Amino acid sequence: MLNRYPESRLAELANCSTDNDEVISSLCDDFDPNRKEFYFDRDPDAFKCIIDVYYFDEVHIKNGICPICFIKEMEFWKIDQCVLDECCKSYLSEKEEELTEISNKVKVILEDLEVERCITRSQRCQRFLWRLMEKPESSLPARVIAIASFLSILISAVVMCVGTIPEVQVTDAEGKLVEHPTLEAIETACMMWFTTEYLLRLASSPNKLHFALSLMNVIDFMAIIPFYVVLSLTYLGTTSMMELANVQQAVQALRIMRIARIFKLARHSSGLQTLTYALKRSLKELGLLLMYMSVGIFVFSALAYTMEQSHPETLFRSIPQSFWWAIITMTTVGYGDIYPKTTLGKCNAAVSFLCGVIAIALPIHPIINNFVVFYNKQKVLETTAKHQVELMELKSGRDMRRKSRN
Amino acid sequence: MEKSLAELNKAGSRSTSSLPPEPVDIIRSKTCFRRVRLNVGGLPHEVLWRTLDRLPRTRLGKLRDCNNHETLMEVCDDYNLEENEYFFDRHPGAFTSILNFYRTGKLHMMEEMCALSFSQELDYWGIDEIYLESCCQARYHQKKEQMNEELKREADNLKDREGEEFDNTCCAEKRKKLWDLLEKPSSSVAAKILAIISILFIVLSTIALSLNTLPELQGTDEFGQSTDNPQLAHVEAVCIAWFTMEYLLRFLSSPNKWKFFKGPLNVIDLLAILPYYITIFLTESNKSVLQFQNVRRVVQIFRIMRILRILKLARHSTGLQSLGFTLRRSYNELGLLILFLAMGIMIFSSLVFFAEKDEEDTKFKSIPASFWWATITMTTVGYGDIYPKTLLGKIVGGLCCIAGVLVIALPIPIIVNNFSEFYKEQKRQEKALKRREALERAKRNGSIVSMNLKEAFARSAELMDVVIEKSERPHDNHLSPSRWKWTPKRAASETSSNHSFNAHELGSPSKACATSPQRLNVQKLEEMYNQMAKTQSQPNLNSKDRASRVIKHRDEIELGAIQDRGPPVLGTREGVGDMKSLSSIDSYISCATDFQENTRFPHSPAMDLSLQESKRLSHCPVTALSQHGSAKTGQQTTRELEPMLTPMSVTKPSCSENARKFFFSGNSSKSLIPKVGCRSDGDSGRSPLSDSSVLSDHSLLSPEVSIYTTASSRTPPKSPESTTLAPSVFTFHDSSINKYIDADTDDDEHLRDISDASPSDRLLAGSSPKHSININYQRGANHLEAAQKMLGQNCLFPLEGIRGLAHENHISHEMTHRPKVERGRQNTLDKGL
């Protein structure tokens, strides 16, 4: 029976059960030749599960045993991990994922901690700058900088909005409305701040390419670049190297890009980061949501169009036009610019509304779930990582003590 | 139960009858076995000694290093060298994971284990929780924090409830009544009616407020502007008058004025009343036309503030309160929701602005103007006053709808979770409060007490054999007298020099024997009740309640005693009843060691003297003998005093109990006035000693202190008691009980825990009454054997425990007198410390 898995510890023990004491004692912890008893100093609960492999060829983790711990036991008994059944494997992988996350977090914290390890002075300077810009909790100046950049984002966003109000705008020489000069000055100041911030970050980052490609910094870049493009374009326009009308159109288009700076807020809010993470994790569900919606829109707009044909003053003039109606109805917004007038059309509208509610509610649930899980995990991770670091410190302290004692 | 008893027997037999093994034996057994059997809570584990050596500073590591009996008993609860087995009376489930820690170096936690109890186990085994592996750590800390939070909240609640203590400055009783009437609708019918009337007034005033704005009901004043309807103004005035009266009464009756003023509900009340008065003040003071317009505007603002009175409903609805609490607790998530919405609005409004601004006659004139559209779209309200017309705008609009649905839906489950948790908690607390009240009422009526007695009786019947058997062993010849617990103690102390006097005092020996089982039962029940009540006594229970309950109980016992005994033993009965009742009160009220000792041996001078100064103990036998004679008369006087004492104790609640105790002891030893004086001297003299007694004094006044008193002072008297019979196995249990009680403030839950819960708990419940019996047997026997010596021993050990090293020389002196029982006792004394 034990020989079914010749690699395993028990099988080896069975094979060498001739009176070779050394081999036996290397395999088990204690041996009583009188009673023919082998003693293993291991967890009995886990062994009960592991012994199953000889009977059923598969191992199930008993409820309550930590899977990581169980894997260690399996290694001791020299049982391959692949005999672990699928149902328990998923549980295990979940735990392992969590562990890697924690270890990553710990690594980040440890990186923060070991500051003055850098050799050259420039490196130390770079590291200092990096912490100043990226780790708001590390020191007071870093926090001040974080708050300042947060405020500048808000100010620039407000300025952008206020600048579009006709009453605030002033007319320029050609009788066109342009932004108020003070607002423009504020805008420029904010842009200067963003630029310096970005450049400092870039300069201090240990890995330039990695930095440039990370999402947050791409957003930063997107927020800055339109300003300079507009500047250069207007310069080109005034020096009549390009046609003025084209320049103005391009400038208008680029103004939309300014919105990107709102996303810069994500850097300062863990909630927003969680949102992006949750959305990233649940792309499938988002696709599902969009698919449900588009199917519903197609079906109900077509239905509404055909049903409303009988009415002489119908608002549904074509199927693409009634798409809009379908969206507004299914999301329960209901502006009332287009609405059905025939009885059949009204019935159809009611059904489409119901379907819309269901179509939205169903895929949203997993997304929300992802969000909540991640949100809670974020909180837990923080404490765990902290404890882990503490443990490491404790262990290193003990090692030091031991060394000194030796 | 059987098993535990068997173990108990074994343990008892070893340390009382047989001598502890020599260090040599222990070392030999450790060297000749490579493995060791660890029996934890009945579950045997076999492990290599080598494995235990890996963590030398933990409890199991220490076990390896221990080479003599005393230190070994300190580390484990019991051991057997022949079988190479060490017994620990702990939860076996947690131990598996802890043992695995030794084996693998990784500490994992069983999934189904409660984090709190696991942390306790870790404490016991001397392992730091920081070693917990990261995969289990998350769960552990989460749970622990949650529990801590809950405990803190419970403690706050307790404090709140205690904060309602009324100082007796001026008409406290009336104020308390008023406060109950106004603040606790569930306290009486009148209060409930008052609450309903209050709700009706709130609803009425709100209706009047809204009706007031109907154009048909408004009149016009001389300026042609609409004014209030006169009838509705009257309604308004009446409502405001009611609110004002309510608020003022509440304020007057509140125990803590500043706290009342700060309370959120009361702030709402104030805000609901004030606008009316400000309006009146403004209109009356500014009659001149010049300022009239301004005043009108201010008055309008204050009229709007009247709407706040709808929030007054929160006082009468748990749901509204928990909503408020949830919002306060989850402001983080609310901030997140608002942030999401704000970002979405910003983005979509600017997008739609750029999409729509070139359209003819567009309503999207600027980004701030399109904020409105974005808000209405994202919340899927959709008024339709602004809507996009271009294709690009419509696409943006569609995206905006979906994004809005998503963004709003995301943080809401977290808030909902908070809300439901809090709501559940609130409901649970309400229920627990009701249950507790019902329990108290039942106890006051006596129904629960009798039930408890019955239960205890059933249990005692089970235990009786074992106990008798046990007590027989060391004190065979004194079995029958030792059965009357309190009586013989007195009798013994009276007649320690003369045994036959005992019989004379209590009637003929045969008579006494005939009544003894009956009396035993009653007394045992009573004692058990005391014990049980001690374990059940929740910290927040006022000692007043306790005292009143004791009185009830005492009456009942006395009644029972009269019914039980026949007329022939009438002379005995009174004395017994008296003593019994007194002792029950004493042991009940004073959980503190010193009190217990003092009052249990009210006229044993050895005791008192030893309490005072150990130096004087050399004089002890002499004084003891001289006073024993007089103590007899003391008892007789008590018997006479008995009827007088009873009404007094009934009428005077808590504090008088304490005084009466001294009063009684003074009476009982009428001729011992110097002794009493000595005792008071001792009380004042031994300041570190009398700590616990002082504490228990406090406990009568402030229930908060009594929590600690019961916990801290209960351990000392038990440790010597458990020594004599079941050494050390239960010492730990006692402290765990205390801890348990400390942690658990909910009476009902505690009860339930004891009744179902884990086997070890059941063991606890079973063991505590057993203890008490053991003590009393032991005491009685001790008295008969050698009253003074044993008395000195009995009281000295806890004393020593408190005093510490100061009187070590004295102990050594004493030891020469009683070498026999000493070793086991001292052992556990250490442990008890």
Side-chain angles (χ1 to χ4, degrees):
Chain A
M1 188 64 140
L2 293 180
N3 279 324
R4 288 178 64 181
Y5 288 89
E7 292 286 298
S8 69
R9 188 177 280 259
L10 287 179
E12 280 177 31
L13 192 68
N15 290 334
C16 74
S17 57
T18 50
D19 302 323
N20 194 345
D21 277 346
E22 272 180 33
V23 181
I24 288 174
S25 59
S26 74
L27 284 173
C28 74
D29 290 315
D30 199 4
F31 173 57
D32 192 345
N34 301 328
R35 282 192 287 172
K36 292 278 175 202
E37 190 184 70
F38 297 96
Y39 176 75
F40 297 91
D41 205 4
R42 303 302 293 187
D43 186 12
D45 286 340
F47 181 69
K48 262 179 220 158
C49 302
I50 286 169
I51 199 76
D52 279 350
V53 78
Y54 297 104
Y55 301 123
F56 313 121
D57 289 335
E58 54 186 37
V59 175
H60 293 269
I61 298 176
K62 200 175 117 192
N63 214 357
I65 298 177
C66 180
I68 309 294
C69 182
F70 193 79
I71 289 302
K72 288 267 157 35
E73 291 292 321
M74 284 181 75
E75 275 166 20
F76 175 80
W77 297 106
K78 292 179 187 165
I79 306 267
D80 199 31
Q81 272 193 37
C82 60
V83 292
L84 202 66
D85 204 57
E86 281 302 323
C87 59
C88 303
K89 231 177 218 165
S90 62
Y91 184 42
L92 171 73
S93 60
E94 219 171 83
K95 278 276 178 191
E96 270 174 350
E97 214 168 90
E98 204 172 290
L99 267 188
T100 49
E101 267 168 28
I102 289 170
S103 65
N104 280 342
K105 198 102 188 178
V106 167
K107 216 190 285 168
V108 169
I109 291 179
L110 283 183
E111 265 172 21
D112 289 354
L113 283 179
E114 47 176 57
V115 212
E116 311 304 330
R117 295 282 169 79
C118 310
I119 318 111
T120 62
R121 196 176 161 183
S122 65
Q123 254 177 331
R124 200 183 304 157
C125 199
Q126 188 187 349
R127 183 51 66 95
F128 172 74
L129 208 61
W130 176 250
R131 285 181 63 206
L132 195 69
M133 303 309 287
E134 285 280 324
K135 305 279 187 299
E137 64 273 4
S138 66
S139 65
L140 187 68
R143 191 167 297 151
V144 170
I145 285 176
I147 291 171
S149 85
F150 180 75
L151 283 181
S152 65
I153 293 168
L154 276 189
I155 288 172
S156 72
V158 168
V159 162
M160 184 186 78
C161 297
V162 171
T164 57
I165 299 172
E167 285 88 47
V168 183
Q169 286 171 335
V170 286
T171 49
D172 63 355
E174 292 157 40
K176 274 190 173 177
L177 286 170
V178 239
E179 275 185 20
H180 201 273
T182 42
L183 290 180
E184 221 159 322
I186 296 171
E187 168 84 15
T188 319
C190 283
M191 282 330 282
M192 294 312 288
W193 169 257
F194 290 151
T195 318
T196 47
E197 203 187 354
Y198 184 78
L199 288 179
L200 278 177
R201 272 188 223 273
L202 188 67
S204 68
S205 74
N207 186 345
K208 300 280 190 287
L209 190 70
H210 186 76
F211 176 86
L213 286 182
S214 79
L215 183 66
M216 280 294 141
N217 298 311
V218 168
I219 289 173
D220 276 6
F221 187 71
M222 297 281 281
I224 298 166
I225 217 59
F227 181 74
Y228 291 101
V229 172
V230 167
L231 262 189
S232 54
L233 278 180
T234 41
Y235 175 74
L236 289 177
T238 46
T239 50
S240 67
M241 286 175 83
M242 282 174 73
E243 222 171 294
L244 204 67
N246 284 349
V247 167
Q248 259 168 2
Q249 260 181 353
V251 166
Q252 282 299 330
L254 282 171
R255 282 174 75 124
I256 300 174
M257 296 278 284
R258 285 191 194 178
I259 301 158
R261 72 184 59 162
I262 293 168
F263 287 111
K264 271 168 74 77
L265 279 178
R267 191 190 286 281
H268 302 283
S269 156
S270 63
L272 268 178
Q273 281 168 17
T274 315
L275 177 70
T276 50
Y277 183 85
L279 289 182
K280 230 191 283 173
R281 278 284 292 265
S282 43
L283 272 182
K284 222 188 244 173
E285 284 85 5
L286 273 180
L288 204 66
L289 175 69
L290 285 182
M291 202 192 75
Y292 283 169
M293 287 299 289
S294 54
V295 167
I297 287 164
F298 273 111
V299 170
F300 289 110
S301 59
L303 275 178
Y305 174 72
T306 45
M307 281 164 185
E308 288 290 311
Q309 283 304 311
S310 56
H311 202 274
E313 290 169 20
T314 179
L315 295 165
F316 298 82
R317 287 201 200 92
S318 67
I319 289 182
Q321 220 176 14
S322 52
F323 279 173
W324 171 242
W325 168 84
I327 292 174
I328 293 305
T329 309
M330 284 185 77
T331 54
T332 72
V333 171
Y335 287 126
D337 50 347
I338 310 177
Y339 49 90
K341 282 169 183 164
T342 61
T343 323
L344 263 180
K346 279 175 184 170
C347 290
N348 173 53
V351 172
S352 78
F353 155 75
L354 278 179
C355 288
V357 170
I358 293 168
I360 289 174
L362 289 186
I364 268 187
H365 189 255
I367 300 175
I368 290 173
N369 219 20
N370 268 341
F371 178 78
V372 172
V373 164
F374 190 73
Y375 188 81
N376 287 334
K377 215 198 244 167
Q378 200 89 332
K379 279 186 188 166
V380 170
L381 272 185
E382 219 111 290
T383 56
T384 323
K386 230 179 270 165
H387 285 292
Q388 197 72 21
V389 169
E390 261 172 49
L391 180 62
M392 276 180 179
E393 271 172 16
L394 201 84
K395 272 180 181 160
S396 65
R398 198 188 303 133
D399 287 342
M400 296 273 274
R401 238 178 289 140
R402 198 170 296 156
K403 264 179 212 161
S404 67
R405 208 181 299 148
N406 288 344
Chain B
M1 190 51 105
E2 283 290 305
K3 199 176 169 189
S4 71
L5 284 177
E7 271 162 13
L8 201 132
N9 259 333
K10 210 164 60 181
S13 68
R14 187 180 303 115
S15 57
T16 47
S17 58
S18 70
L19 286 171
E22 290 296 309
V24 185
D25 296 333
I26 294 170
I27 293 171
R28 191 190 303 142
S29 94
K30 274 183 180 171
T31 45
C32 71
F33 290 106
R34 279 189 73 195
R35 279 176 263 164
V36 56
R37 280 167 67 86
L38 300 172
N39 190 340
V40 179
L43 223 79
H45 300 266
E46 210 165 13
V47 70
L48 290 174
W49 277 116
R50 201 178 55 198
T51 315
L52 297 186
D53 271 344
R54 282 177 203 161
L55 294 162
R57 251 177 287 173
T58 58
R59 186 173 278 262
L60 287 176
K62 275 182 202 152
L63 185 71
R64 176 80 170 117
D65 299 331
C66 290
N67 286 331
N68 55 359
H69 175 76
E70 279 77 25
T71 47
L72 212 53
M73 286 306 274
E74 227 169 87
V75 173
C76 70
D77 289 326
D78 194 12
Y79 63 92
N80 189 341
L81 288 183
E82 286 85 58
E83 289 171 36
N84 190 27
E85 189 176 270
Y86 296 84
F87 180 73
F88 298 87
D89 211 355
R90 300 298 298 192
H91 182 43
F95 185 68
T96 23
S97 42
I98 284 165
L99 198 59
N100 280 340
F101 178 49
Y102 285 91
R103 286 168 177 151
T104 59
K106 309 250 171 201
L107 185 58
H108 291 271
M109 181 179 150
M110 296 294 274
E111 198 117 294
E112 64 265 30
M113 194 86 192
C114 170
L116 268 193
S117 85
F118 191 72
S119 90
Q120 271 177 5
E121 292 293 319
L122 285 184
D123 274 352
Y124 176 78
W125 295 108
I127 296 169
D128 198 1
E129 64 182 28
I130 211 162
Y131 291 109
L132 208 62
E133 282 299 294
S134 43
C135 53
C136 302
Q137 207 168 31
R139 206 152 40 84
Y140 176 75
H141 283 290
Q142 205 178 1
K143 255 192 176 165
K144 211 172 164 195
E145 260 160 39
Q146 206 179 327
M147 270 319 291
N148 281 342
E149 203 172 280
E150 217 152 90
L151 282 179
K152 216 166 70 186
R153 204 158 57 211
E154 205 116 306
D156 283 350
N157 274 351
L158 274 183
K159 221 181 271 170
D160 282 358
R161 225 163 285 149
E162 278 157 16
E164 285 171 17
E165 280 296 298
F166 285 81
D167 46 349
N168 29 5
T169 43
C170 58
C171 49
E173 212 150 286
K174 271 180 200 161
R175 269 170 56 198
K176 180 160 172 49
K177 227 172 243 172
L178 196 64
W179 179 251
D180 280 349
L181 198 69
L182 288 169
E183 283 282 319
K184 292 165 190 158
S186 54
S187 65
S188 68
V189 180
K192 208 170 275 170
I193 289 170
L194 216 63
I196 289 170
I197 290 173
S198 177
I199 291 175
L200 284 180
F201 266 112
I202 293 167
V203 173
L204 188 69
S205 73
T206 342
I207 290 172
L209 189 72
S210 18
L211 281 183
N212 224 340
T213 55
L214 277 182
E216 292 88 40
L217 293 177
Q218 281 175 338
T220 48
D221 60 359
E222 64 263 38
F223 299 103
Q225 268 161 332
S226 53
T227 52
D228 296 349
N229 189 315
Q231 274 105 37
L232 289 175
H234 285 309
V235 170
E236 172 84 14
V238 170
C239 286
I240 285 292
W242 170 265
F243 293 150
T244 316
M245 197 185 70
E246 207 185 358
Y247 184 79
L248 286 179
L249 281 180
R250 267 187 228 271
F251 186 71
L252 283 179
S253 68
S254 73
N256 185 343
K257 299 278 189 280
W258 176 239
K259 208 167 144 199
F260 175 84
F261 192 70
K262 270 197 308 186
L265 287 178
N266 300 315
V267 169
I268 287 174
D269 279 5
L270 197 64
L271 282 181
I273 302 167
L274 273 186
Y276 186 79
Y277 290 108
I278 290 174
T279 318
I280 287 177
F281 174 75
L282 284 177
T283 44
E284 289 303 313
S285 61
N286 296 297
K287 279 293 182 190
S288 61
V289 194
L290 211 144
Q291 291 172 318
F292 196 73
Q293 277 303 322
N294 289 334
V295 170
R296 260 194 94 80
R297 207 162 290 152
V298 174
V299 165
Q300 280 300 329
I301 291 169
F302 278 111
R303 280 174 73 104
I304 292 163
M305 276 179 71
R306 285 187 198 176
I307 278 299
L308 281 173
R309 70 184 56 157
I310 199 82
L311 290 178
K312 270 170 73 79
L313 279 178
R315 190 186 286 282
H316 305 283
S317 146
T318 330
L320 267 179
Q321 276 171 33
S322 45
L323 180 69
F325 189 84
T326 311
L327 292 187
R328 218 180 325 152
R329 230 177 63 165
S330 49
Y331 67 93
N332 236 336
E333 285 81 17
L334 273 181
L336 206 64
L337 176 65
I338 289 170
L339 183 76
F340 285 173
L341 263 185
M343 276 188 64
I345 287 167
M346 205 90 149
I347 290 163
F348 283 109
S349 60
S350 44
L351 279 179
V352 88
F353 169 70
F354 285 116
E356 290 273 326
K357 71 177 171 150
D358 297 329
E359 193 78 356
E360 287 285 303
D361 193 23
T362 181
K363 280 181 175 159
F364 298 91
K365 287 204 182 84
S366 64
I367 293 179
S370 51
F371 277 173
W372 171 243
W373 168 84
T375 314
I376 294 305
T377 308
M378 282 195 86
T379 52
T380 72
V381 172
Y383 286 126
D385 50 349
I386 314 177
Y387 49 88
K389 279 169 190 152
T390 59
L391 178 67
L392 213 62
K394 281 182 178 175
I395 290 171
V396 169
L399 284 178
C400 182
C401 297
I402 294 171
V405 170
L406 258 180
V407 152
I408 288 177
L410 284 182
I412 279 183
I414 301 171
I415 300 172
V416 166
N417 215 19
N418 273 346
F419 176 77
S420 70
E421 236 168 60
F422 180 75
Y423 192 71
K424 237 188 279 169
E425 179 72 14
Q426 196 93 336
K427 274 271 164 74
R428 200 184 65 82
Q429 269 176 9
E430 254 171 36
K431 260 183 206 163
L433 206 69
K434 254 181 213 163
R435 245 183 302 153
R436 194 178 296 159
E437 270 166 14
L439 199 75
E440 248 154 61
R441 222 175 300 136
K443 271 175 189 163
R444 235 168 278 143
N445 295 339
S447 56
I448 295 276
V449 169
S450 58
M451 202 182 75
N452 274 352
L453 280 174
K454 238 177 257 172
E455 251 178 45
F457 179 68
R459 211 176 290 152
S460 78
E462 272 176 33
L463 293 172
M464 198 122 72
D465 312 40
V466 190
V467 171
I468 289 169
E469 190 186 297
K470 216 174 289 160
S471 61
E472 243 170 345
R473 211 174 297 120
H475 314 285
D476 276 318
N477 45 347
H478 301 296
L479 174 66
S480 59
S482 75
R483 277 195 179 187
W484 330 321
K485 263 159 285 168
W486 301 102
T487 325
K489 199 185 295 160
R490 274 172 183 241
S493 53
E494 283 166 31
T495 63
S496 58
S497 52
N498 185 3
H499 198 344
S500 67
F501 192 68
N502 177 21
H504 190 254
E505 172 70 27
L506 296 168
S508 70
S510 63
K511 228 186 252 173
C513 277
T515 53
S516 66
Q518 233 171 8
R519 209 180 309 155
L520 173 71
N521 285 346
V522 177
Q523 285 177 338
K524 194 181 278 180
L525 291 185
E526 173 199 348
E527 184 57 31
M528 278 175 173
Y529 173 67
N530 289 341
Q531 203 71 28
M532 275 166 59
K534 236 188 264 173
T535 40
Q536 286 160 18
S537 67
Q538 74 234 57
N540 64 340
L541 199 73
N542 283 351
S543 34
K544 267 181 204 168
D545 287 352
R546 257 189 244 170
S548 67
R549 231 165 46 190
V550 171
I551 290 161
K552 270 274 186 294
H553 169 63
R554 200 187 69 157
D555 289 348
E556 205 175 89
I557 287 286
E558 268 172 6
L559 270 174
I562 290 167
Q563 283 165 359
D564 278 343
R565 310 244 169 73
V569 267
L570 206 125
T572 331
R573 187 199 65 205
E574 250 182 15
V576 169
D578 168 32
M579 279 177 255
K580 203 198 310 157
S581 57
L582 274 169
S583 59
S584 86
I585 292 165
D586 293 345
S587 62
Y588 206 107
I589 291 170
S590 61
C591 294
T593 335
D594 293 61
F595 266 0
Q596 220 164 15
E597 301 291 352
N598 277 343
T599 50
R600 271 187 192 171
F601 316 106
H603 42 252
S604 67
M607 162 71 191
D608 291 317
L609 285 171
S610 68
L611 275 177
Q612 296 159 19
E613 290 291 337
S614 44
K615 275 181 220 162
R616 288 202 192 177
L617 211 112
S618 54
H619 305 293
C620 164
V622 188
T623 38
L625 278 174
S626 67
Q627 278 164 2
H628 280 159
S630 53
K632 188 199 102 197
T633 55
Q635 201 200 12
Q636 280 164 346
T637 53
T638 353
R639 217 181 293 155
E640 288 160 19
L641 277 168
E642 211 262 328
M644 190 186 94
L645 283 172
T646 319
M648 194 168 79
S649 64
V650 171
T651 47
K652 279 192 186 175
S654 64
C655 286
S656 68
E657 287 287 338
N658 203 355
R660 200 176 62 81
K661 219 185 296 163
F662 281 108
F663 167 54
F664 166 68
S665 62
N667 262 326
S668 67
S669 47
K670 214 190 274 171
S671 58
L672 305 181
I673 300 156
K675 191 212 80 181
V676 179
C678 278
R679 186 203 280 165
S680 58
D681 277 352
D683 269 334
S684 56
R686 50 187 168 98
S687 55
L689 251 186
S690 57
D691 263 1
S692 53
S693 67
V694 170
L695 274 179
S696 69
D697 265 331
H698 280 307
S699 78
L700 293 168
L701 300 172
S702 67
E704 201 178 328
V705 186
S706 77
I707 304 171
Y708 303 105
T709 329
T710 48
S712 61
S713 59
R714 220 179 298 140
T715 339
K718 267 185 192 167
S719 50
E721 287 157 14
S722 54
T723 336
T724 47
L725 285 180
S728 72
V729 178
F730 290 108
T731 10
F732 174 69
H733 267 183
D734 291 339
S735 58
S736 89
I737 287 181
N738 295 338
K739 226 186 265 174
Y740 192 59
I741 292 168
D742 251 354
D744 194 349
T745 48
D746 198 341
D747 188 23
D748 322 329
E749 279 184 12
H750 182 60
L751 264 173
R752 202 182 57 220
D753 278 348
I754 280 190
S755 58
D756 55 38
S758 61
S760 67
D761 277 341
R762 221 173 293 153
L763 200 72
L764 286 182
S767 73
S768 42
K770 218 188 303 168
H771 267 312
S772 64
I773 301 161
N774 292 350
I775 310 152
N776 296 317
Y777 276 131
Q778 212 50 39
R779 290 250 167 92
N782 282 349
H783 283 290
L784 286 173
E785 253 182 12
Q788 294 102 317
K789 213 202 276 177
M790 281 302 164
L791 263 176
Q793 199 184 23
N794 263 345
C795 56
L796 202 87
F797 266 96
L799 279 178
E800 273 309 321
I802 300 162
R803 276 185 198 170
L805 299 169
H807 301 281
E808 223 167 24
N809 51 346
H810 173 64
I811 260 209
S812 60
H813 167 69
E814 277 290 296
M815 269 208 272
T816 54
H817 285 291
R818 38 187 161 73
K820 188 188 153 194
V821 208
E822 222 160 34
R823 207 180 286 176
R825 279 197 181 202
Q826 224 159 13
N827 206 352
T828 16
L829 180 76
D830 293 341
K831 200 157 275 190
L833 287 175

